[in-house]
Amino acid sequence: MFRSLLFGLFVASLAQCSVIKRDAPGIVASLNAISSQLATMNSTLNTFPGGAGNTLVALQVQGEAQTLLDTINNGTKVANQTGPLDVNDSALVVDAVLTLQPNIYGVLNHIIAAKPDFDTAVLGLASAAILVKSDLTNLKNSTDQLFSATVSKLVTDIQNLAPLVQALVDLYFVEAINTYS
Ligand SMILES: *[C@@H]1O[C@H](CO)[C@@H](O)[C@H](O)[C@H]1NC(C)=O
Ligand SMILES: *[C@@H]1O[C@H](CO)[C@@H](O)[C@H](O)[C@H]1NC(C)=O
Ligand SMILES: *[C@@H]1O[C@H](CO)[C@@H](O)[C@H](O)[C@H]1NC(C)=O
Ligand SMILES: *[C@@H]1O[C@H](CO)[C@@H](O)[C@H](O)[C@H]1NC(C)=O
Ligand SMILES: *[C@@H]1O[C@H](CO)[C@@H](O)[C@H](O)[C@H]1NC(C)=O
């Protein structure tokens, strides 16, 4: 009886080990997927034709923002399911974060510059700018969650540098959100 209880605990902890796996490649793949969707959105933001045509582009950006949000949230799920990373895996993840960072800044600056185009695009009854503000707020929230989920798996020395990177990213988000407020 006691023996079978122990055996049960052993099996349970084994099962847990297979769920909590070290998974730098999963996190890196998620971060790279986000980078590539940011590049797509950046290109779309170049296609505002001016006038009534702006509405179609604003709709396309809406769709891309939703896909981006789903991808970010999936990345958080992947990071949450990942075990603590060793120094080499942490380095791989940091590399992907450093690739992602300028892409985030670039798209946020581009969104700020496109404010006049979103203002003239009409989705439903309102200007698309209202939807952009809501997208930005959701994207900031999800990015913050992805960031803390990812950072919590890195080796301590790198974790200590993370608040600086997050503060910079947040600064860009806040500036973009303020532009649309
Ligand atoms: C979530 O991310 C992982 C790792 O990048 C990927 O393998 C998986 O297909 C993604 N799932 C969805 C629903 O996007
Ligand atoms: C990730 O884990 C955090 C902390 O446990 C939790 O608040 C969050 O909802 C989780 N997110 C996802 C997408 O799994
Ligand atoms: C980490 O990477 C270094 C240099 O590539 C390698 O020599 C070392 O064996 C790796 N350590 C682990 C634990 O994989
Ligand atoms: C985003 O688009 C702008 C304007 O065309 C361009 O200058 C910038 O290099 C692009 N950034 C990325 C990361 O593609
Ligand atoms: C932030 O994002 C998480 C994960 O998608 C979600 O569960 C939470 O409700 C969001 N919080 C706000 C304030 O939007």
Side-chain angles (χ1 to χ4, degrees):
M1 162 68 179
F2 186 53
R3 219 185 125 87
S4 72
L5 181 64
L6 271 184
F7 182 71
L9 283 176
F10 182 66
V11 169
S13 67
L14 264 187
Q16 200 162 22
C17 283
S18 65
V19 172
I20 301 177
K21 55 186 196 299
R22 283 178 43 210
D23 192 18
I27 298 182
V28 168
S30 298
L31 296 174
N32 288 344
I34 294 167
S35 277
S36 121
Q37 284 172 16
L38 287 171
T40 302
M41 187 183 279
N42 199 45
S43 308
T44 305
L45 288 165
N46 278 330
T47 63
F48 277 115
N54 281 355
T55 297
L56 270 181
V57 176
L59 259 177
Q60 195 181 340
V61 174
Q62 277 305 303
E64 289 173 0
Q66 187 55 54
T67 306
L68 185 58
L69 198 64
D70 292 343
T71 306
I72 294 171
N73 290 339
N74 181 48
T76 307
K77 205 174 82 188
V78 170
N80 273 357
Q81 289 168 348
T82 299
L85 300 174
D86 68 10
V87 85
N88 286 7
D89 278 352
S90 294
L92 289 175
V93 169
V94 166
D95 202 43
V97 169
L98 294 180
T99 303
L100 177 59
Q101 213 184 342
N103 296 335
I104 296 176
Y105 300 163
V107 164
L108 288 174
N109 280 333
H110 211 153
I111 288 176
I112 290 174
K115 172 79 165 37
D117 290 312
F118 282 111
D119 278 339
T120 57
V122 178
L123 296 180
L125 293 174
S127 129
I130 293 169
L131 292 176
V132 174
K133 185 187 174 191
S134 144
D135 289 339
L136 288 170
T137 307
N138 291 331
L139 287 169
K140 176 178 184 294
N141 171 44
S142 289
T143 302
D144 283 344
Q145 298 209 353
L146 171 63
F147 203 77
S148 36
T150 301
V151 166
S152 71
K153 303 303 162 74
L154 302 176
V155 289
T156 318
D157 285 349
I158 303 178
Q159 278 190 29
N160 293 339
L161 297 172
L164 190 68
V165 175
Q166 177 148 28
L168 278 171
V169 171
D170 279 349
L171 201 69
Y172 277 86
F173 265 112
V174 167
E175 195 187 335
I177 290 169
N178 285 344
T179 303
Y180 281 83
S181 297

